[in-house]
Amino acid sequence: MRKKRRRNKKRLPIIPLFFITLAAAVGFNATKTLEGMGIGIITYFVLYIGFIIWLKTRIIRKLRKSGIREVDQMSGEDFEKFLGELFKRRGFKVSYTATSGDYGADLILKDGKDIIAVQAKRYSSTVGVKAVQEIIGAVKMYEATEAWVVTNSHFTRQAEKLADINDVYLIDRDELIQIILNKR
């Protein structure tokens, strides 16, 4: 995976250079002067900067619409209730476990024959291996067929590796935003 990223970094400057050269060629062909070339290059940069600004405002609008910043301010219990309501709207039957002594699961979702044990982690930093270990322990306790860990943050590589080995489904900040935006 790292090797692919390095290769992409080497190829990346070629693409902008191609478009800059194309803009210069269009400007030169339109005016048959070097000034036209300069105007073509300047036009390219203005359009490129405009595109970047548009893209960033689109991302900001998406974040505002999702309400993820409000989620970031919630307590752990409020986050669990929020997720419960979110999953109810998605068609799951939701039951909450006790706040203490929950054996690693905060929510139990039922969808037909499937029973899903969910560990909710509202963190301001990355979620580590402990959350995955807790939900693995809860699977047998609640006779669950699936295990999920949901966070408003991201997961460490070690947590992702352990989850992959144990078939635990991880829902990070990006996927949670998508779930919130796609709610029914």
Side-chain angles (χ1 to χ4, degrees):
M1 200 169 196
R2 289 182 183 169
K3 290 180 182 178
K4 288 181 183 177
R5 288 182 183 165
R6 286 182 188 154
R7 288 182 192 158
N8 287 341
K9 286 182 181 178
K10 289 179 183 176
R11 289 186 205 156
L12 194 60
I14 295 172
I15 295 170
L17 287 175
F18 170 76
F19 284 112
I20 292 169
T21 306
L22 182 67
V26 168
F28 182 78
N29 282 336
T31 63
K32 304 290 187 209
T33 65
L34 292 177
E35 288 176 358
M37 253 171 95
I39 292 170
I41 292 171
I42 290 170
T43 303
Y44 166 77
F45 280 112
V46 168
L47 291 174
Y48 179 75
I49 291 169
F51 175 74
I52 296 299
I53 292 170
W54 172 79
L55 195 61
K56 287 187 178 185
T57 57
R58 187 171 168 232
I59 290 168
I60 290 169
R61 259 188 267 129
K62 186 177 179 182
L63 287 175
R64 282 189 187 140
K65 186 177 178 185
S66 73
I68 196 70
R69 291 198 176 114
E70 288 81 12
V71 171
D72 292 338
Q73 302 302 314
M74 291 179 182
S75 68
E77 289 180 21
D78 290 339
F79 183 58
E80 291 171 19
K81 291 176 186 172
F82 170 78
L83 289 178
E85 289 302 314
L86 187 65
F87 289 127
K88 278 181 188 175
R89 290 188 198 141
R90 308 247 341 145
F92 292 98
K93 292 180 183 174
V94 178
S95 58
Y96 300 90
T97 62
T99 48
S100 62
D102 60 13
Y103 300 101
D106 298 313
L107 303 169
I108 304 300
L109 308 179
K110 293 183 180 172
D111 185 30
K113 294 179 182 178
D114 291 328
I115 299 171
I116 305 163
V118 179
Q119 173 68 273
K121 292 292 184 187
R122 202 227 34 92
Y123 277 15
S124 55
S125 60
T126 55
V127 177
V129 174
K130 187 178 179 208
V132 178
Q133 291 170 336
E134 289 173 357
I135 200 65
I136 291 168
V139 169
K140 285 191 179 180
M141 182 63 195
Y142 293 102
E143 298 176 358
T145 55
E146 293 182 41
W148 295 0
V149 181
V150 183
T151 185
N152 66 317
S153 184
H154 295 280
F155 295 95
T156 62
R157 286 185 185 155
Q158 293 86 357
E160 290 174 351
K161 185 176 181 180
L162 184 63
D164 188 43
I165 291 168
N166 290 285
D167 293 324
V168 175
Y169 184 54
L170 301 178
I171 299 175
D172 66 359
R173 183 179 189 85
D174 301 327
E175 190 168 349
L176 180 59
I177 290 170
Q178 288 303 314
I179 291 170
I180 293 167
L181 291 174
N182 294 329
K183 66 183 176 189
R184 293 177 187 167

